[in-house]
Amino acid sequence: TLFLDELGDMPLDTQSKLLRVLETKTFERIGANDPVRSDFRLIAATNQDLQRMVAEKKFREELFFRLNVIPIVLPPLRERAGDIPLLVERFVREAAERYRKPVEGITQAALRVLTRHSWPGNIRELRNVVERMVVLARTPRLDESDVPPEIRGAPEAEAQGVGALAGRSLEDIEREHIRQTLEATGGNRKEAASLLKIGERTLYRKIERYGL
């Protein structure tokens, strides 16, 4: 099974190569001329509207139809708030084990705060916030005071955020998000890519694309 993430960021020339591999089930190693056969199942993911990209000539139409066999649309986290407590519990366990922190769980008060947030960054943002809470925790159980201030003040912040985001394109929002992350990391692209949960090469392409 081959999983390709951030498919919408793939350059057009690479799309052509991928299409050829999908059609022929063969590829050539770098520096070699002999084709190698490969039997694989492909799973691809993207947060972009590929149909719109096809119309704008930014994504190859034939590759889109070749990939669009069994589409699975995952709604944004704000539309499935009931999943948040389950995700938080899992992320707490994972972070506690990774950082060897004696954190055993989270209170209902803290969960309520996390559940009412809109999570524009979806699961990646939620995971980052929970990880931060675990790392900085001083008690075995995460409480409302452990929730970052920008999340804890969700009602006021979101009321302003909705007005600020309304009418802006997803590209504008992504550009600003990347810019702020680069600013927060002092321009450290490796650290920024880690915080954004994307590959460094993907970040480099976005930096070039948005002129950052």
Side-chain angles (χ1 to χ4, degrees):
T1 300
L2 174 64
F3 174 64
L4 298 179
D5 199 4
E6 305 286 358
L7 188 70
D9 295 332
M10 182 179 290
L12 287 170
D13 59 338
T14 307
Q15 293 177 28
S16 299
K17 296 176 182 178
L18 175 60
L19 180 62
R20 185 165 62 251
V21 172
L22 291 175
E23 294 292 347
T24 65
K25 294 291 185 180
T26 63
F27 66 94
E28 295 175 359
R29 292 190 176 94
I30 296 177
N33 296 319
D34 297 328
V36 178
R37 289 200 60 80
S38 178
D39 183 17
F40 62 93
R41 169 178 54 189
L42 179 64
I43 300 174
T46 181
N47 62 355
Q48 301 194 46
D49 184 346
L50 293 186
Q51 287 183 299
R52 177 181 58 81
M53 293 183 67
V54 167
E56 296 175 352
K57 307 298 183 183
K58 295 180 180 179
F59 198 86
R60 294 185 66 91
E61 184 177 36
E62 56 269 44
L63 178 59
F64 171 75
F65 288 122
R66 186 67 178 79
L67 294 172
N68 196 34
V69 179
I70 305 177
I72 299 174
V73 179
L74 187 63
L77 198 54
R78 65 179 178 274
E79 294 180 9
R80 47 194 177 97
D83 291 348
I84 292 177
L86 294 173
L87 291 167
V88 168
E89 290 176 9
R90 171 167 178 161
F91 295 155
V92 168
R93 289 197 304 269
E94 290 178 349
E97 182 179 350
R98 183 182 307 118
Y99 296 103
R100 299 181 181 179
K101 294 279 292 189
V103 177
E104 302 170 355
I106 185 169
T107 66
Q108 289 299 313
L111 275 178
R112 283 194 295 270
V113 175
L114 295 174
T115 301
R116 76 186 183 210
H117 186 58
S118 65
W119 301 108
N122 290 301
I123 289 180
R124 286 173 176 168
E125 182 187 6
L126 177 62
R127 181 189 284 114
N128 287 347
V129 167
V130 173
E131 186 173 317
R132 173 180 168 186
M133 291 170 63
V134 170
V135 169
L136 299 178
R138 297 187 178 184
T139 59
R141 201 164 187 81
L142 299 175
D143 200 0
E144 186 174 355
S145 60
D146 295 305
V147 180
E150 64 271 20
I151 307 297
R152 206 162 55 235
E156 295 80 7
E158 288 178 19
Q160 297 174 359
V162 169
L165 296 177
R168 297 181 62 183
S169 68
L170 287 176
E171 288 190 351
D172 286 342
I173 295 170
E174 182 179 58
R175 180 191 296 110
E176 181 62 18
H177 184 45
I178 293 174
R179 187 193 66 76
Q180 291 184 13
T181 303
L182 287 168
E183 187 175 286
T185 60
N188 187 318
R189 297 182 178 183
K190 183 175 182 179
E191 186 178 348
S194 178
L195 288 172
L196 293 165
K197 299 296 183 182
I198 60 177
E200 286 186 61
R201 293 181 64 183
T202 297
L203 177 60
Y204 294 159
R205 289 198 298 270
K206 289 181 181 293
I207 288 174
E208 183 177 352
R209 175 183 177 184
Y210 294 138
L212 297 174

